[in-house]
Amino acid sequence: MSKSWRPATQLVHGGTTRSHHGETSEAIFLTQGFVYETSEAAEARFKGETDGFIYARYGSPTNDMFEKRMCMLEGAEDARATASGMAAVSAAILCQLKAGDHIVAARALFGSCRWVVETLAPKYGIECTLIDGRDLSNWEKAVRKTTKVFFLESPTNPTLEVIDIAGVAKLANQIGAKVVVDNVFATPLFQKPLELGAHVVVYSATKHIDGQGRCLGGVVLSDKQWIDENLHDYFRHTGPAMSPFNAWTLLKGIETLPLRVKQQTENAAKIADFLAASSKVARVIYPGRKDHPQADIIARQMKGGSTLVCFELKGGKEAAFRLQNALEVVRISNNLGDAKSLITHPATTTHKNLTDEARAELGISAGTVRLSAGIEDAEDLIADFEQALSRVSA
Ligand SMILES: *Cc1c(COP(=O)(O)O)cnc(C)c1O
């Protein structure tokens, strides 16, 4: 395996180990346990003196290929594949904290992530302060003697706000805290949190990595020392392991990740420009556009725009519902990163559990709509928006 391979090559070949049959595609090992030739071999395996698998909850051949391929893509030393993105997020946060510790998190978080830090962690005596993560001084102000983890998502869901990851990492290093980045919206192709100084990266592999609506998955990536000291035992003994069938599906998904993300991003950029020119749209937020409020940070830390577009209709909820209902190619769904274009109205779906005030803080209004661009022909998508917008009153 060559470390110098570029992503498109790594994603097809990275981490592959073949069985004695020499199969072309990665094999699925749905199996549970492993046998040892001798008692001594079992003892050595348990002591960690020899490489090899012990039990599928700890690690298994197909999952190992997925983890290795993700490590190559991310530039990480080690990884653990989890059953879902939320299993990855909760493991990454909880494995390194104890009662009395403190988390600082950006308040613009995926709903379940916000629940983990705001509601679950305090039940175990871990305190959490939520801040507007766009302003670096807010991170500094929230720091306490007990702060151990900074947690953020960038770009955020759904309003595509951006956080200066290198700035947050610098502050974390000054106080000995770890930065955990949920990199789902950026994808591993467009943003490299570890290179920017973050310590741990998490993904919902359900999104772009599968990208075809088939299965759930997640992954936590970091340096070997952090995994050994924090995640290793937590992962073995709490059991969030990914199903090998899902690891196999995701290995297939990851082969086409660069093709899909490229097409989705090109489509998103074209739709963003089209929407920005519409008299029915109040504003468009798209990381690839020059009018994004944080275009300077995006230019520094991201290699591409986004597969997502956030926009606000002048006509509020009524206009948003009319638009969504009139679309024919684009389907209504709260999922994202898929080959199919998907649209959702955050205020009544993904963000309905927040208070009106919390939604306003995040810039989510009654007219806010989030589009996840698929890989369809851009002209068909634009024609779909054109006909649907014509049915929305100005
Ligand atoms: C979907 C998502 C998650 C959770 O992932 P699941 O695979 O659904 O558990 C976490 N963070 C972000 C940003 C997501 O989009």
Side-chain angles (χ1 to χ4, degrees):
M1 292 298 154
S2 169
K3 285 230 155 95
S4 65
W5 282 344
R6 289 164 188 83
T9 311
Q10 288 169 356
L11 295 184
V12 175
H13 297 288
T16 303
T17 49
R18 295 193 162 88
S19 80
H20 63 285
H21 297 298
E23 62 282 349
T24 309
S25 168
E26 301 75 14
I28 315 179
F29 293 90
L30 278 173
T31 49
Q32 300 166 347
F34 302 85
V35 295
Y36 314 94
E37 287 304 319
T38 61
S39 320
E40 289 76 12
E43 183 181 33
R45 189 78 57 86
F46 271 75
K47 276 188 178 164
E49 290 168 359
T50 56
D51 286 339
F53 300 105
I54 293 175
Y55 187 55
R57 168 153 42 80
Y58 297 180
S60 58
T62 311
N63 290 30
D64 190 57
M65 288 190 256
F66 172 71
E67 288 164 353
K68 289 211 166 79
R69 199 171 283 183
M70 281 303 304
C71 283
M72 289 181 89
L73 175 61
E74 197 66 42
E77 290 173 3
D78 206 357
R80 292 291 182 275
T82 56
S84 68
M86 284 322 302
V89 170
S90 51
I93 290 179
L94 297 176
C95 76
Q96 57 178 327
L97 293 172
K98 60 180 187 315
D101 288 344
H102 177 237
I103 308 171
V104 182
R107 67 190 177 195
L109 289 177
F110 182 77
S112 299
C113 297
R114 186 157 166 164
W115 184 86
V116 168
V117 292
E118 194 178 27
T119 307
L120 180 67
K123 288 191 190 176
Y124 298 93
I126 301 160
E127 292 183 77
C128 174
T129 307
L130 289 173
I131 57 162
D132 178 348
R134 288 172 296 182
D135 183 346
L136 277 181
S137 71
N138 290 338
W139 293 89
E140 202 167 350
K141 275 184 244 155
V143 165
R144 300 181 193 167
K145 280 205 184 77
T146 51
T147 304
K148 295 284 163 56
V149 168
F150 287 167
F151 179 49
L152 65 94
E153 176 184 316
S154 180
T156 63
N157 176 30
T159 47
L160 307 175
E161 291 174 359
V162 174
I163 294 170
D164 177 353
I165 297 173
V168 175
K170 193 168 160 216
L171 181 63
N173 286 331
Q174 283 163 10
I175 62 157
K178 299 291 181 195
V179 179
V180 179
V181 176
D182 179 339
N183 207 37
V184 167
F185 272 50
T187 81
L189 300 167
F190 287 163
Q191 182 167 274
K192 301 269 185 229
L194 299 177
E195 282 174 16
L196 295 165
H199 305 91
V200 182
V201 182
V202 290
Y203 287 99
S204 163
T206 315
K207 308 298 165 53
H208 302 87
I209 294 171
D210 173 52
Q212 288 152 90
R214 300 171 295 191
C215 68
L216 296 178
V219 60
V220 184
L221 302 117
S222 185
D223 57 73
K224 197 169 175 323
Q225 189 184 349
W226 184 87
I227 300 247
D228 284 350
E229 290 174 4
N230 297 280
L231 189 59
H232 181 83
D233 286 348
Y234 180 100
F235 185 86
R236 285 186 164 200
H237 306 309
T238 63
M242 175 183 279
S243 156
F245 184 84
N246 291 6
W248 179 78
T249 309
L250 293 163
L251 276 162
K252 296 289 100 194
I254 212 174
E255 289 185 344
T256 56
L257 180 75
L259 301 174
R260 287 182 284 107
V261 168
K262 180 170 180 281
Q263 179 73 27
Q264 287 175 255
T265 304
E266 282 171 18
N267 286 353
K270 286 179 188 162
I271 296 166
D273 289 343
F274 173 80
L275 292 170
S278 165
S279 62
K280 301 190 180 157
V281 174
R283 63 169 184 156
V284 172
I285 309 169
Y286 183 65
R289 275 175 64 89
K290 288 201 184 68
D291 61 0
H292 189 288
Q294 298 158 291
D296 54 333
I297 303 175
I298 292 166
R300 276 207 307 276
Q301 76 180 21
M302 293 185 71
K303 295 185 181 76
S306 176
T307 64
L308 291 124
V309 182
C310 182
F311 59 102
E312 198 177 316
L313 288 158
K314 288 181 184 162
K317 179 180 168 185
E318 196 194 321
F321 274 33
R322 271 196 179 212
L323 173 83
Q324 293 198 138
N325 293 343
L327 287 164
E328 289 166 0
V329 181
V330 181
R331 307 312 307 264
I332 301 170
S333 172
N334 48 290
N335 203 0
L336 62 98
D338 201 273
K340 295 177 169 58
S341 289
L342 305 173
I343 198 159
T344 195
H345 181 247
T348 53
T349 60
T350 54
H351 291 71
K352 79 163 184 18
N353 289 338
L354 293 182
T355 60
D356 291 346
E357 193 193 356
R359 267 197 299 276
E361 277 175 2
L362 299 179
I364 303 168
S365 74
T368 301
V369 181
R370 184 195 78 192
L371 168 76
S372 170
I375 62 172
E376 303 94 338
D377 191 304
E379 287 184 32
D380 288 332
L381 294 173
I382 287 173
D384 200 23
F385 272 101
E386 197 164 18
Q387 64 80 18
L389 274 173
S390 74
R391 306 211 207 158
V392 172
S393 42

